Amino acid sequence: MNKYSNLLLKVAAVFGLIGAVLGGHMAGSGSYAVRPIHAHILVVGWLTLFAWAVYYRVFQPKNRILACLHVYSAVIGAVGLTGGMALYNFRPGFLPAAVETVFYIAGGAILLLSFVFFCILTFTHGKNED
């Protein structure tokens, strides 16, 4: 499970750096146009993934398949939600609006699924994990 912890920790660190850069940009420019993206990057990407990294460092879930589904859906969902949110807000000309919206919604749905997997993991751990 250390590989899951390490993966989540590294992805959380990247999200933390991006969130800090966005925060610094907002403070320096005086524009808070990216505030929702900044908040989601820090809460979902940095805080949540970091907390889950600690969980996998402390606990050894019995269901390895569920743990794998949780970790990869968490990473994909966090990137998808925040990336989709950025695309949706900035509306780059190279993508149709429908693609931006689908990316945003799919990322959020995958992230929600990762929360469901995590909830199941926490309520189904083995006796030696208490």
Side-chain angles (χ1 to χ4, degrees), residues 7-9 14 22 31-32 35 39-40 46 51-52 63 67 73-74 77 80 88 90 93 98 101 115 120 124 129:
L7 173 63
L8 289 167
L9 185 63
V14 171
L22 280 176
S31 171
Y32 296 98
R35 185 174 37 197
H40 279 80
W46 180 66
W52 286 340
N63 191 331
S73 65
Y88 185 81
F90 295 128
T101 303
F115 274 93
I120 293 168
T124 61
E129 296 176 11

Side-chain angles (χ1 to χ4, degrees), residues 24-82:
H25 171 73
M26 287 189 308
S29 70
S31 171
Y32 296 98
V34 294
R35 185 174 37 197
I37 300 164
H38 165 73
H40 279 80
I41 284 173
L42 289 178
V43 172
V44 170
W46 180 66
L47 181 62
T48 302
L49 295 183
F50 182 81
W52 286 340
V54 171
Y55 169 81
Y56 284 105
R57 189 64 60 149
V58 173
F59 297 102
Q60 299 293 317
K62 293 273 187 231
N63 191 331
R64 293 189 181 274
I65 294 171
L66 189 58
C68 180
L69 288 171
H70 168 250
V71 169
Y72 289 106
S73 65
V75 171
I76 292 166
V79 170
L81 175 71
T82 56

Side-chain angles (χ1 to χ4, degrees), residues 64-128:
R64 293 189 181 274
I65 294 171
L66 189 58
C68 180
L69 288 171
H70 168 250
V71 169
Y72 289 106
S73 65
V75 171
I76 292 166
V79 170
L81 175 71
T82 56
M85 180 181 276
L87 288 173
Y88 185 81
N89 284 314
F90 295 128
R91 302 269 186 206
F94 63 88
L95 284 176
V99 172
E100 298 162 3
T101 303
V102 168
F103 196 71
Y104 188 5
I105 292 170
I110 293 168
L111 184 65
L112 181 59
L113 192 58
S114 76
F115 274 93
V116 171
F117 292 149
F118 182 71
C119 189
I120 293 168
L121 276 173
T122 60
F123 283 97
T124 61
H125 62 271
K127 291 185 181 203
N128 63 350

